[in-house]
Amino acid sequence: MNSFFKYFSDIFHGVKSLLIGMSVTGRYFFSPGQIVTQQYPENRKNLQMFERFKGEVIMLHDGNNQHRCNGCGICENNCPNGSIEVIPAKITGEDGKSKRVIDKHIYHLGMCTFCGLCVKNCPSNALGFGQEFEHAVFDRSKLTKVLNQPGSSIIKGVE
Amino acid sequence: MTFNIYDFTSFNRWIDEGLNSFMSPTWALITEMAIIGIVFLLFYAVVGLFLVYAERKVCAFMQNRVGPNRVGPYGIFQTIADFIKLLMKELVYIKDSDKLLFNLAPFIVIIASFMALSAVPFAKGLHAIDFDIGILYVIAVSSLGVVGILLAGWSSNNKYSLIGAMRSGAQIVSYELSVGLSLLTIIVLAGTMQFSEIVEMQRNGWFIFKGHIPAIIAFIVFLVASTAETNRGPFDLAEAESELTAGFHTEYSGIKFAFFFLAEYMNMFLVASIAATVFWGGWMPFHVSGWAGFNTIMDYIPPFIWYIGKTAFIIWLMMLFKWTFPRLRIDQLLTLEWKYLLPINLVNILFMAFLVLMHWHF
Amino acid sequence: MKEIINLPVSNIEEEEYHINMGPQHPSTHGVLRLLVSLQGEMVRSLKPHCGYIHRGIEKMCEKDTYPQVIHLTDRIDYLSAHINNHAVCLLVEKALEVDVPERVRYIRTIMDELARIQSHQLWWSSFGMDLGGLTCFFYGLRDREMILDIWEETTGSRFLQSYNCPGGVMQDIHPNFQKKVHAFLKTFKKKIKDYDRILSGNVIFENRSQGVGILSKEDAISYGVTGPSGRGSGWSCDVRKTEPYSMYGKVQFNEVLRYECDTYSRYMVRMQEMHESMNIIEQLIDNIPEGEHSAKMKAVIKLPAGEYFQRVESARGELGLFVVSDGNKTPYRMKFRTPSFSNLSVLDHISRGMKIADLVAIGASLDLVIPDIDR
Ligand code: SF4
Ligand code: SF4
């Protein structure tokens, strides 16, 4: 007799649990307000990345096209993947002494793992993270970037 | 010509007489067959494509997504785009596969569902053939599809496909019983197997109300068993993408895959139509005996709308099943059939017969 | 050809056949390859073949300085990236006898628990998907998004954060952090009820998981199955309890233990662990002390020559980190004892005699992350 009742209580509990499950999906079906999908290319205009978002490594330039990098190469040493190549140049300053400046700060985006060590360890805080995230290109060589903008120079007093 | 959306009988007669007036009866018959064939093909394609779209949208809403929304407004042309893509895809040739059976299998599956569709009454006078053994015919023809699935699994020379096909064989053979018996319950009540008569008998109340408790049980059993018979989740063991990659159609590509895909949706449509016709009165409007005013208002809604509405609701239920439940295991699947559905069904038929004898139904 | 001819005849008589599950198979969640011997639908035995995603992380670590190692540990078990980083940092701090500020301990513990929750959410999603309930997948990922947003705001990355560094954390927490964590806890407490309603209580799910893949406590110990999988067999192996690190010694939480030893109990352990993790976060989130976000460290970190070991409880079990240092700024040898590798080793044992469908469920209940196996 016990197994007889168990047979029916099994059916009852089973059906009940299935109905509970269906109520969840059914509820979401009838509440379109809960849709979480973001329509990506459409919302590009007002898509706001978080300020700390690590899109790519950039060199911070101010309004006069000046940056803070003195070409010391610490970021290059700190990068675990060799994504940074610092090519310094020697120039003769106004006082006649020759000093080191950055010629090209080359950054291989394709090899970067966004560990943040370069940004953290730069002694003059010349680097930062950019918000750009649409990095897809057809040619890998386009991922190699020169971070110091053409014609830029170092801010006075940070050397 | 008297075209009437409430009764297509005169419309059919008009076409028949028109054709017969200028050709010999044989040719008229052949032309009629061709017309019906073309109409059904078109209907099949449109409904199949729409159902794929509907399923995607429905499951998307259940999962807090929007679903297809890129091709056309609300993505309604998405499935057409997919279909074109499938048409253009390469038909991969499988090494050491049984070529004849491999190519034949999708056609068997699709023909089975196509044939079964012909017996469904869409509105008064709107059905291809009105057999006096309509239900028997549908049960017989729709189970032919399993042959195609078995062949597909066997001929693809792939172990996953074979496992899927064998599962599907066991599954369909057992669930066929429950589908048949639950329909039999209603046949006991109706006393006929002809679809048009079954629908006509529900003029003063659908069978699910007339037969009350046993009819409701039969409806639930039919819904469960026919979901299993169409290989849809939670009974999609033959495909079981997390276990067998894609089951019996793992090796199919391009248009042959599309055939399997379309056939699955058409089977779902077919099953929903049968359920709507047998339990919910098909195209018959909702009538309550005695409420004459209410009944006339209901009669203003065209039968075709009634039919589509009921079918759509049952299809929605089946989608809700699929997108809520996890999949059963093969032994649990058979346990469910042989230990639960079948005994319940048998008792239910006795109950129904008793009810009919005692005139306890409405 | 030779192998086929040499097959013993008995194999053919017993109608055993082999299928390859993976390296590209929907339920292996990556590139794991299981060579399964089947008899009908019954699993006779299986052989895992790993190495498809072997990246040589241990070897790469040997050329990296200790801060640089962090970004590689992210990629071992990417779902508990924070916890892996934490292990390296703890080891370095232990070796150098650095005392990290209290604030760092709080932040690290909260981050670890967030990592555990999101890992379990993803596990729940894929568990549901493996059993055929596709909707679970979307619900889990939907809720996980909130944690990823919290991380993105504070650490800048959603997935591989590299947030810890020896001595502290890279940046201080974002001003919105606490507010957002509170919001997450509030929402998720509601949503997790849906998880139970749609999967845990479901009769199909119960039948699929109860009594499937029995792993006895003895076997769990001898195979080294740690983490929620081991605790599902009643083995108290939570490193957070046995060897508390960071704040775990000071917060109140229960070690979730269950004794059914089957897939269902491993499932329930994880479900309850999510509640426990939320409980831990709640105790910490409002009390984060003020202070520095990092201790003062030397510019070049050199561990004194010697051997070091550190264990932490990652989302899938015990992560052991063994370092041999010869006094240089790079480790001489770095060895990870990853939980998924040991957990995989038991798969053959517990899935024998089960069906293919059960194998999928068991595999899902062990919560394997393939890069964690191959490293
Ligand atoms: S970016 Fe910073 S670390 Fe790198 S070379 Fe310039 S100043 Fe030195
Ligand atoms: S973020 Fe890391 S990997 Fe990328 S350039 Fe900087 S140091 Fe190198």
Side-chain angles (χ1 to χ4, degrees):
Chain A
M1 209 58 202
N2 244 344
S3 58
F4 182 76
F5 280 121
K6 191 169 173 303
Y7 181 84
F8 285 103
S9 74
D10 275 356
I11 294 179
F12 179 74
H13 285 298
V15 170
K16 195 175 144 204
S17 75
L18 295 180
L19 286 178
I20 288 175
M22 274 158 66
S23 77
V24 175
T25 39
R27 184 156 47 81
Y28 281 119
F29 180 79
F30 288 112
S31 47
Q34 304 232 22
I35 286 176
V36 289
T37 313
Q38 296 184 11
Q39 301 281 345
Y40 162 57
E42 281 86 11
N43 69 358
R44 248 175 104 195
K45 286 267 157 20
N46 42 18
L47 191 65
Q48 191 65 43
M49 304 309 287
F50 290 112
E51 56 184 305
R52 292 182 183 177
F53 175 68
K54 298 186 202 166
E56 60 180 341
V57 174
I58 52 169
M59 187 170 283
L60 305 165
H61 286 72
D62 63 7
N64 312 328
N65 201 11
Q66 285 186 316
H67 55 75
R68 304 166 68 90
C69 172
N70 55 17
C72 66
I74 287 179
C75 52
E76 183 178 349
N77 286 339
N78 267 293
C79 179
N81 307 312
S83 330
I84 294 179
E85 283 171 62
V86 175
I87 301 177
K90 287 262 190 295
I91 58 161
T92 325
E94 291 123 45
D95 48 356
K97 272 188 239 157
S98 90
K99 66 172 190 179
R100 185 190 55 191
V101 291
I102 187 88
D103 178 23
K104 273 188 182 158
H105 192 293
I106 299 172
Y107 166 58
H108 301 276
L109 174 60
M111 282 154 52
C112 176
T113 50
F114 305 103
C115 64
L117 288 177
C118 53
V119 176
K120 184 176 171 236
N121 285 314
C122 173
S124 44
N125 291 331
L127 298 178
F129 279 111
Q131 312 261 307
E132 179 64 37
F133 60 92
E134 291 163 321
H135 290 312
V137 285
F138 283 106
D139 184 357
R140 174 155 65 159
S141 64
K142 293 210 179 82
L143 291 175
T144 299
K145 302 177 179 181
V146 178
L147 292 190
N148 51 333
Q149 286 167 12
S152 63
S153 62
I154 186 161
I155 297 174
K156 286 263 169 329
V158 267
E159 303 101 47
Chain B
M1 173 222 163
T2 48
F3 184 75
N4 177 355
I5 50 164
Y6 299 101
D7 188 351
F8 286 86
T9 332
S10 50
F11 178 64
N12 293 343
R13 192 166 307 129
W14 175 71
I15 293 182
D16 186 42
E17 280 162 9
L19 285 174
N20 272 314
S21 65
F22 63 90
M23 36 173 99
S24 68
T26 331
W27 277 108
L29 192 67
I30 291 170
T31 323
E32 279 166 16
M33 281 178 173
I35 291 173
I36 290 170
I38 290 166
V39 167
F40 264 82
L41 264 181
L42 282 178
F43 181 75
Y44 195 93
V46 169
V47 170
L49 289 179
F50 178 75
L51 278 180
V52 176
Y53 170 73
E55 163 117 73
R56 288 193 189 167
K57 271 291 187 200
V58 166
C59 82
F61 284 136
M62 285 174 190
Q63 297 165 347
N64 292 352
R65 298 184 288 126
V66 248
N69 61 348
R70 295 285 139 158
V71 190
Y74 301 101
I76 45 172
F77 300 126
Q78 180 67 50
T79 43
I80 296 174
D82 285 344
F83 192 68
I84 293 170
K85 180 202 78 176
L86 281 174
L87 272 178
M88 295 195 302
K89 275 185 114 173
E90 184 193 354
L91 292 172
V92 180
Y93 166 69
I94 310 300
K95 201 174 153 219
D96 291 339
S97 64
D98 189 327
K99 248 189 145 183
L100 174 71
L101 298 184
F102 187 75
N103 291 331
L104 192 64
F107 291 100
I108 295 185
V109 172
I110 209 155
I111 286 171
S113 66
F114 197 76
M115 278 166 74
L117 201 63
S118 63
V120 176
F122 298 105
K124 192 173 170 70
L126 199 63
H127 44 210
I129 328 165
D130 190 17
F131 283 125
D132 50 359
I133 49 157
I135 289 183
L136 198 63
Y137 167 78
V138 166
I139 293 175
V141 167
S142 66
S143 53
L144 273 183
V146 68
V147 178
I149 292 177
L150 279 171
L151 287 186
W154 173 253
S155 61
S156 343
N157 185 26
N158 177 325
K159 289 167 198 163
Y160 284 123
S161 304
L162 189 60
I163 299 174
M166 289 303 145
R167 282 180 176 187
S168 155
Q171 175 180 341
I172 294 186
V173 166
S174 16
Y175 277 84
E176 197 66 30
L177 268 173
S178 278
V179 172
L181 286 177
S182 54
L183 289 178
L184 207 60
T185 319
I186 295 302
I187 294 172
V188 169
L189 180 64
T192 169
M193 286 202 206
Q194 195 168 4
F195 274 118
S196 56
E197 275 185 36
I198 288 180
V199 175
E200 204 53 49
M201 285 183 74
Q202 303 183 58
R203 183 168 289 283
N204 51 355
W206 301 345
F207 277 153
I208 196 148
F209 301 123
K210 273 187 166 177
H212 50 92
I213 301 170
I216 290 171
I217 294 177
F219 174 66
I220 293 170
V221 170
F222 178 79
L223 208 57
V224 173
S226 55
T227 314
E229 214 201 330
T230 49
N231 271 334
R232 279 184 59 82
F235 306 102
D236 54 347
L237 284 99
E239 294 172 34
E241 77 283 339
S242 61
E243 296 150 29
L244 308 177
T245 57
F248 64 92
H249 61 61
T250 309
E251 299 290 0
Y252 283 88
S253 63
I255 192 68
K256 286 190 238 166
F257 165 75
F259 276 5
F260 280 119
F261 200 58
L262 214 57
E264 182 193 326
Y265 283 94
M266 284 319 284
N267 278 332
M268 181 168 77
F269 178 73
L270 181 76
V271 158
S273 311
I274 305 285
T277 308
V278 172
F279 295 95
W280 297 74
W283 47 265
M284 191 57 75
F286 182 65
H287 284 170
V288 182
S289 52
W291 295 11
F294 179 77
N295 291 350
T296 31
I297 294 171
M298 285 294 160
D299 281 340
Y300 275 117
I301 303 174
F304 198 71
I305 304 285
W306 276 106
Y307 164 78
I308 289 287
K310 292 170 194 172
T311 314
F313 176 72
I314 293 167
I315 289 176
W316 181 80
L317 266 186
M318 290 170 78
M319 287 179 181
L320 192 62
F321 290 162
K322 169 158 183 170
W323 296 105
T324 309
F325 301 138
R327 189 179 301 119
L328 278 83
R329 204 170 56 204
I330 182 74
D331 57 327
Q332 289 158 359
L333 184 88
L334 299 180
T335 311
L336 174 67
E337 163 65 17
W338 295 100
K339 271 192 169 164
Y340 293 95
L341 293 189
L342 192 64
I344 290 176
N345 227 330
L346 287 173
V347 173
N348 199 30
I349 290 187
L350 284 182
F351 188 29
M352 181 59 107
F354 185 68
L355 220 70
V356 173
L357 276 182
M358 305 299 286
H359 291 286
W360 281 352
H361 59 85
F362 300 116
Chain C
M1 267 331 265
K2 219 176 191 175
E3 281 173 69
I4 297 173
I5 294 164
N6 288 342
L7 266 182
V9 185
S10 64
N11 259 11
I12 298 160
E13 279 177 353
E14 284 173 8
E15 290 179 27
E16 186 176 290
Y17 64 104
H18 305 272
I19 58 169
N20 270 309
M21 269 183 125
Q24 294 196 356
H25 188 275
S27 75
T28 52
H29 304 295
V31 283
L32 175 67
R33 175 173 158 221
L34 301 173
L35 185 57
V36 191
S37 303
L38 292 171
Q39 191 177 21
E41 286 230 11
M42 211 75 95
V43 176
R44 290 280 302 266
S45 68
L46 67 88
K47 247 192 225 138
H49 287 244
C50 19
Y52 286 88
I53 192 165
H54 177 70
R55 294 147 298 170
I57 283 185
E58 289 180 4
K59 195 70 191 164
M60 281 203 275
C61 288
E62 290 171 18
K63 75 138 192 32
D64 281 349
T65 63
Y66 293 98
Q68 288 177 349
V69 160
I70 300 275
H71 88 113
L72 287 174
T73 55
D74 269 358
R75 288 157 175 81
I76 295 177
D77 171 2
Y78 44 72
L79 287 179
S80 27
H82 268 301
I83 309 179
N84 301 350
N85 296 347
H86 199 166
V88 181
C89 297
L90 284 174
L91 183 130
V92 172
E93 285 149 16
K94 196 164 76 178
L96 295 177
E97 290 166 5
V98 182
D99 208 17
V100 296
E102 192 80 337
R103 185 178 178 83
V104 173
R105 293 172 200 264
Y106 271 79
I107 296 174
R108 281 181 179 170
T109 312
I110 294 170
M111 288 296 189
D112 275 14
E113 290 311 313
L114 284 177
R116 200 179 314 282
I117 294 179
Q118 65 87 25
S119 169
H120 286 351
Q121 280 172 337
L122 190 70
W123 156 83
W124 183 81
S125 321
S126 54
F127 197 115
M129 194 177 64
D130 282 348
L131 293 185
L134 275 165
T135 301
C136 304
F137 190 71
F138 291 93
Y139 290 169
L141 287 189
R142 175 195 68 195
D143 301 338
R144 180 168 169 261
E145 201 70 4
M146 293 189 80
I147 297 188
L148 297 189
D149 276 345
I150 294 173
W151 280 348
E152 191 183 354
E153 195 166 44
T154 287
T155 73
S157 302
R158 297 167 70 76
F159 199 41
L160 305 162
Q161 300 90 6
S162 308
Y163 183 56
N164 291 330
C165 60
V169 290
M170 291 289 249
Q171 293 154 303
D172 205 354
I173 49 172
H174 194 272
N176 284 345
F177 181 72
Q178 273 136 312
K179 199 174 78 199
K180 282 213 167 173
V181 172
H182 274 302
F184 164 73
L185 292 176
K186 199 166 155 236
T187 331
F188 187 53
K189 277 197 175 149
K190 269 192 231 123
K191 300 270 178 178
I192 201 170
K193 292 203 185 98
D194 278 353
Y195 289 23
D196 287 334
R197 289 151 64 94
I198 200 168
L199 201 59
S200 321
N202 193 305
V203 62
I204 303 176
F205 170 74
E206 282 178 355
N207 282 325
R208 281 293 302 272
S209 59
Q210 280 170 353
V212 167
I214 304 280
L215 169 67
S216 67
K217 187 177 172 185
E218 290 71 30
D219 284 336
I221 294 174
S222 65
Y223 280 91
V225 180
T226 50
S229 314
R231 292 196 281 282
S233 300
W235 178 26
S236 164
C237 57
D238 196 333
V239 184
R240 293 175 295 171
K241 280 284 184 203
T242 51
E243 261 176 44
Y245 52 95
S246 287
M247 289 308 293
Y248 288 117
K250 295 180 192 130
V251 288
Q252 301 287 324
F253 70 102
N254 299 323
E255 179 176 5
V256 184
L257 286 178
R258 281 183 84 96
Y259 301 91
E260 298 98 319
C261 303
D262 53 4
T263 300
Y264 186 72
S265 95
R266 291 190 280 275
Y267 172 91
M268 286 315 280
V269 167
R270 286 197 177 83
M271 292 307 274
Q272 284 167 26
E273 252 181 29
M274 286 202 252
H275 288 285
E276 285 303 324
S277 293
M278 284 197 276
N279 180 10
I280 295 175
I281 294 175
E282 266 177 354
Q283 292 174 41
L284 297 177
I285 189 69
D286 286 327
N287 313 324
I288 304 179
E290 293 300 315
E292 287 294 306
H293 68 269
S294 179
K296 279 269 169 291
M297 299 292 280
K298 291 209 197 73
V300 179
I301 296 173
K302 288 183 182 173
L303 296 202
E307 296 178 353
Y308 305 95
F309 183 67
Q310 175 66 45
R311 335 194 261 163
V312 291
E313 178 76 17
S314 92
R316 6 206 89 61
E318 177 183 324
L319 176 81
L321 174 59
F322 179 66
V323 172
V324 181
S325 168
D326 52 2
N328 270 335
K329 61 177 182 179
T330 59
Y332 176 75
R333 172 83 169 93
M334 202 165 213
K335 156 84 186 147
F336 296 95
R337 182 256 181 237
T338 50
S340 293
F341 186 73
S342 316
N343 292 3
L344 172 68
S345 68
V346 84
L347 186 59
D348 173 39
H349 176 69
I350 59 177
S351 52
R352 288 196 179 192
M354 298 274 158
K355 302 218 161 42
I356 308 180
D358 291 334
L359 173 63
V360 172
I362 295 169
S365 79
L366 290 175
D367 193 12
L368 302 172
V369 163
I370 312 306
D372 195 28
I373 297 170
D374 287 345
R375 309 202 272 290

